[in-house]
Structures are given as C-alpha cells and as structure tokens.
Amino acid sequence: MKKMNKAEIQLLHNSIQAAEIEAKQKLSEAQLVWLRASDKNLDELPPQKETYELMQCSFKCIAVEMLLRVLGQPTLKQTTRASLLALSAKETQLNYPLTFENDKEKDILKSIAALLDSIPTPETLTSGSIDKSVHMIAKAAQYLPKIPIVPKEETPTAAAVAVAKDKGKEVAVNVRLQAGFAPIAPNLTPFDLSVMQAAASIYASGSKTFSTNQLYRVLTGADAHTKITSKATLEAVKKSLDTLQATIITIDAEQQAALGKYRRYDWNKTTFKGYLLPMTKIETAYYSGNQRITKCDCWRIIDTPPLLAYSKTIKQVATIPQKVKCLPKGVSATVKNICIRDTLLYYIHLNRGKGVKLNYSTLFEAAGADTSNRDTCYKMRKVTRALLKYWQEIGFMPGETDVITGAKKDIIYIS
C-alpha cells in the first residue's frame, strides 16, 4: 500500500476533526434515547436496540479519538493507511483495555476502518469521480425552488406539497426552508438542486469528504482525465455549496407515513430536519514533496442530508450510472445545460413506462430557464435532443423515446 505523504496526513487529520463533531453529537443523542427507553422500563433489562445504538456511537467516538492521537505522533512519516489502522488498534487496547476484554475490538476496528474509508486520497480530490449517481425524485425535491427561504429570525410557513390522494383528498408533506445563518439567498435554484444531488451522490458512494473540483466532475459527469472547462460553473458550484450549507429544511411527512402504501416502509421518523447539506468546510493543500503548492477547498458531510433520508425512506431515489450524467459532445458544462439535464432526468424517472408527453415549455420552466427568448429556446431544444440521442446511444433510454415533431415542435414523448 502507498505511503502517505504530508498532503494525505493533513487531509485525514482535518477530516477526522470534522467527523468528531458528528460522533459526539450522535453519542449525545443516543445517550438521551437510551435514558428515555430505560426510564420506561425500570424493572427490566436495559433496552436492547437502544443499548446497541449507544455502543456503536461510543465506538465511533473512540475511533475518532484514537486516529487523532496516532495522527498527532511525530513519527508518522513512513506509514500507510493499513499501518495507521494497526497503530490505532494498539492505542485503543492501551487506553480502553476493558473494551478489548469484552470482545468488542472488532466493532472498534470496523469503526476506524469505516472512518478511514470515508476519506479519499488527495489524488481522488483532484481528479476522482464516482461510478454511480443518485437522483432524488421525490416530488418535494423538485418543489423546493418554489419555497422561499425565511430569514433565521422569522418562523417559516409550511408549504404543502401534494404527494398522493386518499379517499379523494390530497395528502401532502409540509416543507419549510429557513436560513441557519446570514447572508442567505431568497430562494433555492434548480442548479442548487443539481449540486445537492451531486454531493448526495458522493456521500452515497461512501466518501464523506470531497473537494469542490471533485464535486464539479461528479456534477458534469466528467472523468478523472477531463479538465474543468467552465470556471463560471465552478464558481456557481462554490456559491451553491454556501447556500446549501446555510439552509435548514424541515419535511413533515406524518400524513404520508399514515397512508397504506407508505406504511410498510421503514419510517424511523416522520419529520426530517437539518441543513440541506449538513457539512463543515475544511482546508487542505497539495504538496510536491514538502513544498506546499496550493490550497484545496474541501467539505466534510457530517450527517445524512435530510432530503436524501426522506427520499430513501419513501423509496424515491434512482441510481444511475455516472456516464448518464456526462454531457454529450456539443453540450457545454454551463449552469443552464446542467439544470436542463437534471430536470429532464427527473421527468424521465417519474414517467418511465407511462407513455407521457412532456412539453418543452414545462421542461424549461422547471429547469429555471427563461422561455421568453426564441434564440434561447432554440438552443435549449438542441441541448435536449442531444441528451436524448446520447442516452439512447448508451442504452439508458429505449429508442422509442423521442421528440415528436408536430406543428409547434415542442413535445417530448417518454415511453
């Protein structure tokens, strides 16, 4: 295994420091849940499920503590990730001997290994992508740009998003958006949703630390060897991350959870609340030998994004090959084109197999594009057709899916 250089050691250290926030918070929450469960049954044994969760959270805290202790040692220059795991195990045995005596060392080692696996190498940060992307197709996700972000000092009004019908009445989830701190944008944009999808895809792949450059590649479908072609899009990504990190979402899905077809799902909770991207910013750097070349903006996701947790609960997450996100030849990596691609993917997943007709105007408006300019609409139609053709060529869509060339030439048929 490759020896770690200064850049990798710094990346590991900063990422684990950020992970410490999550570990301590989860432990505190687990302790509270355990105490409540124990108080309900004072004459019985400790609650089994809550005790197990508390122990797992404890192991994660130990893993963070031991890794930080080992990474702080001055004799770490020639080590690898495998030897770092072994050194952490020794430290754990010295500092927590009772844990090892109780045959819990495997759980702690799993926690240490999982934490290390969640942190990519510096090479991945600069050029890495992922194999599969997740696409949250819950209706609440697509509705978010229509909901105002309320300033932190105000109480947000819930927006009712209809998700089903029960006995002729609409069943809705109530969604609120609020600024966690200022300054903040008045609304989310379709591009913010695309950036959130890309970050959630990295998180779902097992990596919780990512760089802005890596996110750009996941967002545009570029591979490790593709250069970043749009500085404007990269800047838009950075701006979007700041908005997503500062915006709190609350999804109240109690009505939906009570419906028959949703009742069988694994509802651990019916209210999903937190920052759209619960993460913290960390800084690392690229080195040549011991010479610092440039800094690298990185982020560490410290909890499951609420919208991803909700979408997974109701089984409305589509997993697609990352090559589907690639922009075909002739389609540049602009904010507008990325929004058209992801909005089109949403409608395709929502209506696949139903033989639905989609108006161009509906697609473009949902993508946040200005439909009043003829030249702009013409260019967006070309982009849409190029995407459909590319997806048919790679086998993502059946050949029957096509553009109906009627009098207005504004209808897409989704077979």
Side-chain angles (χ1 to χ4, degrees):
M1 186 175 281
K2 186 179 176 182
K3 291 178 181 178
M4 296 190 298
N5 59 18
K6 189 174 181 179
E8 186 165 5
I9 292 172
Q10 183 181 350
L11 176 64
L12 286 168
H13 186 271
N14 292 355
S15 294
I16 294 166
Q17 273 191 325
E20 187 177 22
I21 300 169
E22 176 193 14
K24 287 183 177 179
Q25 181 180 336
K26 294 290 184 185
L27 179 61
S28 179
E29 290 172 359
Q31 287 172 335
L32 187 60
V33 171
W34 186 89
L35 286 170
R36 286 174 178 168
S38 298
D39 287 343
K40 288 180 182 179
N41 301 288
L42 294 173
D43 298 328
E44 298 180 12
L45 292 170
Q48 190 172 358
K49 180 184 175 182
E50 288 78 4
T51 300
Y52 175 79
E53 290 295 330
L54 180 59
M55 288 177 64
Q56 294 304 310
C57 290
S58 299
F59 296 152
K60 288 177 182 177
C61 278
I62 292 173
V64 167
E65 180 190 347
M66 294 302 102
L67 278 169
L68 286 175
R69 184 171 296 196
V70 171
L71 284 167
Q73 295 176 1
T75 57
L76 201 64
K77 294 179 181 178
Q78 301 299 315
T79 193
T80 64
R81 290 201 178 201
S83 61
L84 186 61
L85 179 62
L87 286 169
S88 300
K90 285 184 179 179
E91 282 289 333
T92 307
Q93 194 167 11
L94 286 170
N95 290 277
Y96 294 93
L98 290 177
T99 305
F100 269 69
E101 288 175 12
N102 293 331
D103 297 325
K104 296 299 180 184
E105 72 274 12
K106 288 183 181 178
D107 294 293
I108 294 176
L109 291 177
K110 281 182 182 178
S111 293
I112 296 172
L115 183 53
L116 288 172
D117 288 342
S118 73
I119 305 167
T121 63
E123 290 77 17
T124 303
L125 287 182
T126 55
S127 61
S129 190
I130 56 177
D131 296 326
K132 293 181 179 179
S133 181
V134 298
H135 204 76
M136 294 173 274
I137 56 174
K139 191 174 180 181
Q142 205 66 18
Y143 198 83
L144 287 183
K146 299 178 182 179
I147 304 172
I149 302 174
V150 177
K152 63 177 182 177
E153 60 273 7
E154 295 181 17
T155 302
T157 303
V161 182
V163 292
K165 282 193 174 182
D166 182 39
K167 298 176 182 178
K169 293 183 179 180
E170 285 192 339
V171 175
V173 295
N174 295 313
V175 185
R176 298 174 179 86
L177 293 177
Q178 186 175 25
F181 44 89
I184 195 70
N187 289 84
L188 295 173
T189 67
F191 185 69
D192 290 328
L193 300 188
S194 292
V195 172
M196 183 170 56
Q197 301 271 22
S201 297
I202 294 175
Y203 180 84
S205 74
S207 180
K208 295 184 181 180
T209 298
F210 64 89
S211 67
T212 310
N213 287 11
Q214 184 190 9
L215 183 68
Y216 173 93
R217 286 188 164 83
V218 173
L219 181 68
T220 59
D223 60 26
H225 307 291
T226 304
K227 291 182 179 179
I228 292 176
T229 55
S230 175
K231 289 185 178 179
T233 301
L234 184 61
E235 287 304 311
V237 168
K238 293 177 181 179
K239 183 180 178 182
S240 180
L241 285 173
D242 288 335
T243 299
L244 294 166
Q245 186 212 17
T247 305
I248 298 170
I249 185 173
T250 304
I251 304 172
D252 179 0
E254 188 175 351
Q255 288 184 31
Q256 188 177 20
L259 284 180
K261 69 175 182 177
Y262 291 105
R263 204 177 295 150
R264 66 181 181 273
Y265 293 159
D266 187 16
W267 291 92
N268 291 323
K269 55 187 178 181
T270 57
T271 299
F272 303 82
K273 184 177 180 179
Y275 289 97
L276 282 167
L277 283 181
M279 58 189 186
T280 185
K281 199 168 190 177
I282 61 176
E283 184 182 312
T284 184
Y286 303 134
Y287 288 85
S288 178
N290 286 324
Q291 184 70 34
R292 180 186 171 113
I293 299 174
T294 182
K295 75 171 188 176
C296 172
D297 287 337
C298 293
W299 298 84
R300 174 78 183 180
I301 299 179
I302 57 176
D303 203 357
T304 305
L307 194 61
L308 179 61
Y310 166 70
S311 300
K312 281 187 171 181
T313 300
I314 61 173
K315 301 187 185 300
Q316 289 187 353
V317 176
T319 303
I320 57 177
Q322 184 63 10
K323 65 180 180 179
V324 172
K325 302 292 282 286
C326 286
L327 295 168
K329 190 175 180 180
V331 178
S332 55
T334 63
V335 168
K336 188 185 299 177
N337 290 346
I338 289 168
C339 291
I340 290 171
R341 179 204 63 195
D342 286 353
T343 306
L344 186 55
L345 279 172
Y346 168 77
Y347 280 115
I348 288 169
H349 281 296
L350 203 65
N351 299 298
R352 182 171 272 172
K354 297 178 182 178
V356 172
K357 294 177 182 178
L358 172 65
N359 290 334
Y360 270 114
S361 57
T362 302
L363 170 65
F364 298 153
E365 285 171 11
D370 179 12
T371 57
S372 62
N373 187 297
R374 279 190 174 186
D375 289 339
T376 301
C377 287
Y378 174 75
K379 290 175 182 177
M380 289 190 296
R381 284 176 181 171
K382 283 184 69 177
V383 167
T384 304
R385 288 175 177 172
L387 286 165
L388 290 170
K389 182 181 178 183
Y390 168 66
W391 289 338
Q392 288 170 4
E393 287 173 352
I394 63 174
F396 175 66
M397 295 181 67
E400 304 84 46
T401 302
D402 209 345
V403 177
I404 297 176
T405 55
K408 294 184 178 180
K409 298 183 180 179
D410 65 348
I411 296 174
I412 302 165
Y413 176 73
I414 302 174
S415 60

